[in-house]
Amino acid sequence: MVTARAAATFDPDGRSAAAARGFVRDALLGWGLPEVVDDAVVLVSELVTNAVVHAGTAAEVCCLREEETVRIEVTDHHPERGLPSLGDGPRYADPDGEGGRGLLMCSALAERWGVEYGAGQKTVWFRLALPAHVAGTRYAVPATPGSDLPSSPGPVHVAVVQLDEDGRVLAWNPDAEALFRYPAATVLGRPWADLALWPQSPGRGLGLTDTLRLARWEGGYGVRRADGEEVEVYGVQVRVRDTEGVASTLCLLVLEPDRAVLRSPARTLPGERPDPTGPRLDLLAGPIATDDLETLLQRAVERARDLLDADAAYLLLTTDDEAEFEVRAATGLTTGHRRHTRFPVETGTRYDSARLPSVHEDLAARPSGLPLLAGSGMRSLVTVPLKVEGRLIGSLGIATAAPGRYDNEDALRLQFAADRVALAVESTRLTELERLRRGSLSFLVEASDLLAGTLEHEQTLALMAQMAVPTLASWCAVYTNGDHSSSAALAFVLHEDEDRIDPLRDLLDKTPFPEAGPTHGVRFWTAPGDTASARGLTDSPELVGLLGETVVLPLAARNRVIGLLALGVPAGVRFRQEILELAEDLSRRAALALDNSRLYSERTATSQALQRSLLPPDLPEIPGVEVDVYYQAAGEGNEVGGDFYDLFTIREGTYGFAIGDVCGTGPEAASVTGLARHSLRLLAREGLDAPQVLRRLNAAILDEGSRSRFLTLLYGELTPRPDGSTELSLVCAGHPLPLRLRTDGQVDRAATPQPLLGVMDDLELTAEHLVLAPGEVLLCVTDGVTERREGRRMLGDDGLAEVLTGCTGLTAGAVAMRVQRAVERFAPEPPSDDMAILTLRVPTQRQA
């Protein structure tokens, strides 16, 4: 005897097998037969695949519920007699081949099966026996009291109307035609609002458009018939999605007197008065901030536990790919509960379906596949799905230690409450995700700015760790590779608790370094915990609770791994997926900054080594003469520029000194600086006088061709005399003239201008002689001093002379420092040109 029937037809395309599986699963679960779902789905999948793929025809699937069995028929329109041979060959089909596999599986799984042929069609059927009821899981199906059954003078019409995303009619069944007297052709494509008389109460309730977007709704409203008559109807609306993910609303409608056909039975808590409008299990009582997801979820589970007199409750939310559940709130669970723990949506057990409300009568007799409840002592469990527009977004469960506590009615009440809270949860979750997305972007922008603001290697390491702790983890360790061949070395350690930094570093020093691995992706790292266990350090006060989940991310830049970033959280805490994704983004930016700082440090060290080779060695001590030098090269990282100086011994009792300025600044000018300084020493020691030395140097500069640059130079030779004075021989080739400070404070020029070097082949140069008396000073500078500017003002020769006038009686070092301070204070901006100051002073007899 057939007690229920469900049938559907599937087109011959690749999606039909999946659609047929879903149809059969929903039909059997709707009948409360989860025990046979798996076998039925497997067999139907094979038979429909044979029909639509191999036979190439549409497949008709019919499910029939009988008293002790379920009969399922699959019909196609390609009636070839492909029965297994009963001759000498093998009786059954090859299990590894495609042909006949569906029949082979029927013989293995079904109680009975067969093939029937008709005109132009073939039907394969099978029967599955229904097992006897045992304590365990059953799916919640409404139970309508007999007093609520409809009393109708004629047949009860159940109109089925399907609406698209814009609220237009997609489907209109014959009962809808009979109930509302519109032929289907006249309403398809029309807005449902043209027919529905939705109650308009300003400030109260939802409008028609908003109601059509709810996951599920039921209630009464009016519909205008074709003849203009208005009738009251009772409807149930369910939001669904097709196989391509397109959302629509399915409306089931009956006349108001027949509402018990569709209406969920009203249930009440002990002591409550029955509510004629339906169940009212409110999980969101009281004000809750719409952007506070954690508070909303925790309030919901606590209300569910209290209102249904449970011992524990939990709420799970699906991940973005809807493949896993994540624990987001729980109460009453003392073991096995860790927030943000994840596990698959489908647990793999045939009695657990997260997509339907279910009642577990005794978890001791039939354990749930839910890891959350393992070892909790709970016996009775009710779970209901949270759905929005037909899409699973989570699961709500309540449990108690007593077996057999809950029934279908409790599940339906909880489902009703879950339907009401699901939209609020999804809306708040989307708000939270948007807030996290904006926060992540802000975090990464700030990280990029900070990392781009320094090229110092050690500072970059510190910034990496400070950005990771405590935003991403409770502690962080950075490992770096010294070069392409060396292994990783621990470079920096940081913990949010400063007292734990040293113990953590000691542990990591004893832990084998993590392997470099691939250039991207997060890897879990257990070595620190293993090392602590192996060395008996787990009970150490400094390490208690320190080591929980630890991950390692590669620091990859320019197609190679230059280091590793290790992040850790305390014991009992797990990383959330969005935190790991943010850590990956940070590691990529930090790796590039770290590699840039490494390259900068290497190049700076190389540049400084080369530049230092252009500076003169320690200045010689000259009897009877004080000498002091101040030098500053323009440009960040330059120790030598276009300005230069030198002081060296030519022969016993005679010394050479020079101060010059090569055209331009930076490394290019420094190369000519090196040529000039080394040439001066070599030529002077060959016995040439000052004009001859400069003429030879001029020729060497011109020999450089396109790389040559013109050069201004003050070169001189000094010889201390027995009477305490010093004799000087000078040549000023295009350079700012030296100034002589006499003992009475008078300042005058100590030389006359002559042609600069590096421009003409033949130069006429002459030496000029003077004698510095005790107490007198010779000041030699480059144009970085005299051309110091502020707007249109320039220090100039006169300004320098005025500064020098106030230096009477000062030592050579004090004169140089006073001139340097005057240059810096002349303008608020730092100097932009190379600057060299050379002072020579003959001390008085008392000072000597």
Side-chain angles (χ1 to χ4, degrees), residues 506-553:
D506 292 340
L507 175 63
L508 294 178
D509 283 336
K510 300 171 184 176
T511 302
F513 296 148
E515 297 180 0
T519 58
H520 64 276
V522 178
R523 292 182 292 121
F524 288 93
W525 188 37
T526 61
D530 296 341
T531 300
S533 299
R535 294 176 178 263
L537 301 175
T538 52
D539 295 331
S540 172
E542 296 86 359
L543 298 180
V544 170
L546 175 65
L547 299 177
E549 200 168 65
T550 305
V551 296
V552 173
L553 300 96

Side-chain angles (χ1 to χ4, degrees), residues 181-521:
R181 302 169 186 171
Y182 288 101
T186 64
V187 295
L188 293 179
R190 288 183 61 181
W192 182 235
D194 291 351
L195 307 179
L197 303 174
W198 197 258
Q200 301 295 328
S201 300
R204 297 185 61 189
L206 297 174
L208 175 60
T209 302
D210 293 332
T211 303
L212 292 177
R213 296 183 180 276
L214 296 177
R216 188 182 185 277
W217 178 90
E218 64 177 88
Y221 56 95
V223 175
R224 183 181 293 107
R225 283 177 167 169
D227 56 7
E229 179 187 0
E230 297 178 2
V231 295
E232 291 294 321
V233 299
Y234 191 87
V236 174
Q237 296 172 185
V238 180
R239 191 77 164 164
V240 297
R241 289 180 182 271
D242 63 14
T243 56
E244 296 180 355
V246 178
S248 62
T249 302
L250 190 64
C251 303
L252 305 180
L253 304 167
V254 296
L255 293 177
E256 176 62 24
D258 303 328
R259 62 184 180 275
V261 173
L262 301 178
R263 184 173 178 178
S264 299
R267 308 305 302 169
T268 61
L269 285 174
E272 291 183 335
R273 297 182 61 185
D275 187 347
T277 61
R280 290 290 183 255
L281 189 63
D282 188 1
L283 301 183
L284 297 181
I288 296 179
T290 56
D291 60 348
D292 188 354
L293 180 61
E294 299 302 326
T295 300
L296 186 149
L297 298 179
Q298 192 62 33
R299 176 76 64 83
V301 298
E302 290 174 357
R303 290 277 297 174
R305 177 198 62 188
D306 296 341
L307 292 176
L308 288 172
D309 196 23
D311 295 322
Y314 62 85
L315 195 149
L316 318 173
L317 293 183
T318 57
T319 54
D320 291 339
D321 58 3
E322 300 181 16
E324 289 183 308
F325 276 133
E326 184 178 50
V327 180
R328 295 301 298 270
T331 181
L333 293 175
T334 57
T335 60
H337 163 233
R338 290 193 300 175
R339 290 186 62 225
H340 307 301
T341 300
R342 295 187 175 191
F343 44 84
V345 168
E346 300 298 341
T347 60
T349 62
R350 64 190 295 171
Y351 303 106
D352 293 327
S353 175
R355 304 180 187 278
L356 290 172
S358 61
V359 179
H360 299 254
E361 294 178 330
D362 191 351
L363 297 178
R366 180 172 290 165
S368 167
L370 191 65
L372 183 65
L373 298 177
S376 66
M378 297 296 112
R379 298 284 296 274
S380 298
L381 172 67
V382 177
T383 62
V384 295
L386 274 65
K387 293 184 178 181
V388 173
E389 297 184 349
R391 179 171 55 87
L392 182 69
I393 67 164
S395 178
L396 175 63
I398 61 169
T400 184
R405 177 66 178 276
Y406 300 115
D407 56 19
N408 287 6
E409 295 176 359
D410 295 315
L412 291 174
R413 296 185 62 216
L414 189 61
Q415 182 65 73
F416 182 85
D419 289 342
R420 298 181 62 193
V421 78
L423 194 60
V425 169
E426 181 68 358
S427 175
T428 307
R429 179 164 71 163
L430 292 177
T431 301
E432 180 193 62
L433 291 176
E434 178 64 16
R435 185 172 64 251
L436 289 174
R437 185 187 68 84
R438 291 178 179 272
S440 298
L441 291 176
S442 177
F443 172 78
L444 292 175
V445 168
E446 182 181 3
S448 299
D449 289 343
L450 290 174
L451 291 170
T454 180
L455 288 172
E456 296 295 332
H457 190 67
E458 295 300 324
Q459 189 174 0
T460 302
L461 290 172
L463 281 175
M464 290 171 55
Q466 291 167 5
M467 285 183 292
V469 176
T471 304
L472 304 179
S474 62
W475 64 266
C476 167
V478 183
Y479 294 83
T480 59
N481 296 333
D483 52 44
H484 291 271
S485 59
S486 65
S487 59
L490 185 60
F492 199 90
V493 177
L494 182 66
H495 194 284
E496 59 185 353
D497 182 355
E498 293 184 358
D499 294 336
R500 291 196 161 194
I501 294 178
D502 290 338
L504 177 61
R505 177 181 286 276
D506 292 340
L507 175 63
L508 294 178
D509 283 336
K510 300 171 184 176
T511 302
F513 296 148
E515 297 180 0
T519 58
H520 64 276

Side-chain angles (χ1 to χ4, degrees), residues 738-761:
L739 299 179
R740 179 180 186 178
L741 173 64
R742 299 182 183 272
T743 55
D744 59 1
Q746 180 182 351
V747 176
D748 53 25
R749 296 173 178 175
T752 57
Q754 300 188 55
L756 53 76
L757 308 180
V759 178
M760 299 178 293
D761 289 332

Side-chain angles (χ1 to χ4, degrees), residues 626-676:
E626 294 177 3
V627 180
D628 199 84
V629 175
Y630 175 81
Y631 181 84
Q632 178 178 310
E636 184 179 358
N638 291 327
E639 295 185 12
V640 176
D643 292 5
F644 68 97
Y645 68 93
D646 200 3
L647 180 65
F648 55 92
T649 303
I650 298 176
R651 53 186 175 273
E652 185 177 357
T654 300
Y655 302 88
F657 67 92
I659 185 169
D661 184 2
V662 179
C663 173
T665 61
E668 294 81 3
S671 63
V672 179
T673 297
L675 171 65

Side-chain angles (χ1 to χ4, degrees), residues 624-626 723-726 739-747 771-779 804-805 807-812 815 840-848:
V625 178
E626 294 177 3
D723 61 358
S725 62
T726 299
L739 299 179
R740 179 180 186 178
L741 173 64
R742 299 182 183 272
T743 55
D744 59 1
Q746 180 182 351
V747 176
V771 176
L772 283 181
E776 294 185 338
V777 177
L778 183 70
L779 175 64
L804 185 59
T805 299
C807 296
T808 304
L810 299 180
T811 64
V815 172
L840 302 174
R841 181 178 180 273
V842 179
T844 62
Q845 292 296 329
R846 185 176 60 184
Q847 292 171 329

